[in-house]
Amino acid sequence: MLQTLDASREFSVASLKNKLIELTYFRPSYKFGWNNWVPNKVCILAWRSELERLPVLTELAKRNIGTNSVLCPVCGDLEETVEHCFVTCGLAQSVWQAISLWCKIPSIFAFSIRDLLAIYKYVKFPRKKTKMFHAICLVSFWCLWKVRNDIVFNGKMVSVVNLVGDIKALSYLWVKNRSGEMSISWDDGCGFKV
Ligand SMILES: [Zn+2]
């Protein structure tokens, strides 16, 4: 007998998508991970991105807030959704690739913002290093959004090298100052190298 996913008794891509969303969003184990080694504003941005509550162009267009195009202002290839900003945009993918190389973990392949926010749970680092890695991921969200806003509002050019440099510098500054671990250095304590 043909298995169906909803009351319509017909298989459809939409019903499959709805079922996946239902399974994902009501998975009881999911909980946003807060991290006090970065400022609250950094955690809140990542938290809002997971809830798709950021003023990206597709969201503004839904509210009839004027914009000529909803194409991503960074790559110009696809519509700018929250997920696109952090997961599928070429710039975001370059950043996650750089972070995985820097932190010496396998390449990051994410299908959703939630995947990105959960990577730290699977990296198998010691406790402090895990928290540091999580902080770096949150700072990456912060810096990607900042660069996106610089492009939209200030017409600035973007450079992956500069962006990754900012992520490293801000992560180091915030973690060192907020962790109480004044001896932390990217070169020894936790093994990351700037
Ligand atoms: Zn893009």
Side-chain angles (χ1 to χ4, degrees):
M1 191 179 88
L2 184 65
Q3 294 293 310
T4 59
L5 295 166
D6 59 26
S8 72
R9 304 192 63 77
E10 286 182 19
F11 177 83
S12 69
V13 172
S15 66
L16 176 61
K17 185 179 173 195
N18 288 337
K19 191 69 182 173
L20 287 172
I21 288 171
E22 183 187 312
L23 291 172
T24 307
Y25 278 79
F26 294 97
R27 193 168 54 199
S29 60
Y30 180 77
K31 193 162 164 263
F32 179 80
W34 298 84
N35 188 321
N36 62 4
W37 285 3
V38 295
N40 278 345
K41 64 183 181 182
V42 176
C43 286
I44 288 169
L45 176 87
W47 174 67
R48 288 180 64 193
S49 72
E50 200 276 321
L51 296 172
E52 301 199 12
R53 286 192 196 151
L54 291 177
V56 290
L57 298 181
T58 50
E59 294 298 323
L60 294 177
K62 280 183 205 167
R63 292 162 179 76
N64 290 323
I65 298 175
T67 170
N68 293 328
S69 164
V70 293
L71 286 180
C72 171
V74 176
C75 67
D77 290 336
L78 292 167
E79 289 188 352
E80 192 197 39
T81 60
V82 180
E83 188 171 277
H84 176 78
C85 279
F86 299 105
V87 182
T88 53
C89 186
L91 179 66
Q93 294 194 353
S94 297
V95 164
W96 298 118
Q97 180 65 18
I99 297 299
S100 63
L101 286 172
W102 182 40
C103 299
K104 298 185 177 65
I105 62 167
S107 290
I108 293 171
F109 292 108
F111 296 100
S112 67
I113 288 169
R114 193 174 282 191
D115 286 347
L116 291 171
L117 291 172
I119 293 168
Y120 75 98
K121 296 177 184 171
Y122 306 103
V123 288
K124 296 188 169 63
F125 287 151
R127 191 175 59 84
K128 279 184 185 171
K129 189 167 170 177
T130 299
K131 187 167 179 178
M132 190 177 294
F133 175 76
H134 182 214
I136 291 166
C137 291
L138 295 170
V139 173
S140 299
F141 273 78
W142 177 260
C143 290
L144 274 166
W145 186 244
K146 183 175 179 302
V147 157
R148 177 267 183 203
N149 285 340
D150 275 346
I151 292 170
V152 172
F153 299 114
N154 304 321
K156 281 194 182 174
M157 298 293 285
V158 59
S159 143
V160 176
V161 173
N162 289 347
L163 173 54
V164 172
D166 286 349
I167 291 169
K168 291 177 178 179
L170 276 177
S171 300
Y172 179 73
L173 180 74
W174 281 329
V175 168
K176 190 165 176 98
N177 286 332
R178 301 173 67 89
S179 64
E181 302 281 338
M182 294 310 288
S183 61
I184 280 179
S185 126
W186 291 141
D187 295 317
D188 46 46
C190 286
F192 303 130
K193 283 192 165 58
V194 178

